[in-house]
Every structure is written in C-alpha cells, then in structure tokens.
Amino acid sequence: MEEIKELISKEQIDERLVELANKIDEDYKGKELTAIIVLKGAAFFGMELSLKLKSHMQFEFIKISSYEGTESTGRINNELDIEESKIKDKNILIIEDIVDTGRSMDYLIKHLNQKNPRSLKVCSLLSKPSRREIDVNIDYLGFEVPNKFIVGYGFDDEEGFNRNLPFIGYKEV
Ligand code: IMP
Ligand code: MG
C-alpha cells in the first residue's frame, strides 16, 4: 500500500468552505446563480459548498477529462456538455476541484462563454500555481497547494480508490 500523507484536514476544509460560501452569498446577493460542477473531481467539494450557500441556485454538471495517470496529456475531452439555454443570460459559477496547468479551466471558460452567460466566475478548491502554463483568473479559491499529486476529498488517481477520503492528501510521484 502506498502511503498517503494528509495535507489539509476535514476541519480546515469545512472552515474554508464557510468563508467561501459567505463571500459568494455576499457577491450574488439578490441574484440567481447557476453552479456548474465539474465532474468527477469537484462533485464532493461542489455539494458541500452548496449546502453552505444561501443563494438561490440551480445546478448543472459538465464532465471533461485531460489526464492519463498523473500526467496531463494537454488534450481536453468534453464527455458531458450543457445545453445553451441553461447558460445563456445566467450568472454562471464554475466549481472545479483544482487548477493545475490551467488548460482545463481555460478550455471551460472559453467553451461556456460561447453559450453567452450573463456573467461567468470561477471557484476552485485548490490551485497549484507552480504548474501553471495558462494564466486563468480564480475568483474564489480554497487553498494553494505545492506540486504534489493530490488525492482524497473528491480527487482520485486512475489506479487508486482514494476519492472518498475525508481529507485532502498527497502521494509522492
Ligand atoms: P489542468 O488542466 O492541468 O489545470 O488540470 C486540471 C485537472 O486535472 C483537474 O480538474 C483535476 O481533475 C486534474 N488534476 C490536476 N492535478 C491533480 C492532482 O494533483 N490530483 C488529482 N487530479 C488532478
Ligand atoms: Mg477536474
């Protein structure tokens, strides 16, 4: 068994989610919000954050993939898309697990902007700034993390079964 080290505890995650939810509620006061949760990684984060939000919200899901093992292929596959009527003239908040090279988020922003949202913002639980290749603006960020391969709390690796660990951990690669 490979050893997984804890990086961010469930208590730290919960505290940060309350702060993010308060900020988002404040910013979207009096507005309707459509959260787009990026599957599969952000499913856990997206749900736990949403349960803390008081905003009037709708939910959509999009599925993209760019990874083979622990290395980004740089190619983005759009495996589940959202019809334009769900995005046009809406205040869209993309909820993602991590911005690593930035390629996936850059693709998502461009792709969703083609469907003419009223506004589009980005919320990501984690960011690995040392890995960035494409600059993307993150409006709501949980934590910056070092260049480690992250598992747990929704993050998975192809061979592992670590998605449902309650904390954010890492494996040495
Ligand atoms: P990017 O396109 O390089 O920014 O990669 C973004 C996607 O790769 C994320 O949405 C994750 O699904 C996945 N990813 C990047 N880093 C990690 C990691 O450390 N652990 C698990 N998945 C990761
Ligand atoms: Mg992802």
Side-chain angles (χ1 to χ4, degrees):
M1 276 282 278
E2 229 163 340
E3 206 198 336
I4 293 169
K5 300 203 174 97
E6 183 173 298
L7 190 63
I8 303 170
S9 70
K10 184 64 167 73
E11 290 69 30
Q12 287 173 288
I13 298 170
D14 289 342
E15 275 176 31
R16 189 72 186 118
L17 261 52
V18 171
E19 292 172 357
L20 287 177
N22 289 341
K23 182 84 176 72
I24 293 168
D25 278 338
E26 203 178 296
D27 291 354
Y28 287 90
K29 200 179 279 173
K31 293 180 182 162
E32 283 177 8
L33 173 60
T34 298
I36 296 187
I37 296 175
V38 186
L39 298 175
K40 296 176 192 172
F44 295 64
F45 167 52
M47 292 295 103
E48 290 214 323
L49 176 69
S50 300
L51 290 173
K52 295 180 171 26
L53 286 166
K54 298 181 181 72
S55 298
H56 285 272
M57 309 178 62
Q58 292 190 313
F59 294 90
E60 298 295 336
F61 299 88
I62 197 163
K63 185 162 193 249
I64 59 169
S65 63
S66 66
Y67 257 63
E68 273 167 20
T70 60
E71 276 310 305
S72 176
T73 58
R75 276 198 324 272
I76 313 285
N77 304 313
N78 191 339
E79 298 175 13
L80 172 69
D81 201 2
I82 303 167
E83 59 183 90
E84 184 167 339
S85 65
K86 307 282 189 196
I87 292 173
K88 194 171 169 9
D89 295 330
K90 313 265 191 203
N91 298 309
I92 300 296
L93 181 63
I94 303 173
I95 299 186
E96 175 61 302
D97 53 2
I98 186 168
V99 179
D100 185 27
T101 64
R103 287 180 188 281
S104 303
M105 189 52 75
D106 181 66
Y107 167 83
L108 276 173
I109 291 169
K110 287 180 176 146
H111 177 70
L112 295 171
N113 264 329
Q114 285 173 359
K115 299 175 194 275
N116 302 305
R118 175 174 308 199
S119 66
L120 187 117
K121 286 193 183 187
V122 172
C123 175
S124 182
L125 176 61
L126 303 182
S127 172
K128 263 187 222 169
S130 60
R131 292 256 307 161
R132 201 74 88 249
E133 291 171 18
I134 302 180
D135 191 35
V136 292
N137 183 51
I138 305 173
D139 299 279
Y140 307 99
L141 175 64
F143 305 92
E144 279 191 2
V145 293
N147 188 13
K148 307 272 189 198
F149 192 74
I150 304 295
V151 295
Y153 198 71
F155 292 88
D156 199 19
D157 53 288
E158 277 185 356
E159 309 83 36
F161 291 87
N162 300 306
R163 209 186 278 281
N164 63 331
L165 292 176
F167 57 87
I168 297 171
Y170 67 90
K171 296 206 299 196
E172 300 285 356
V173 287

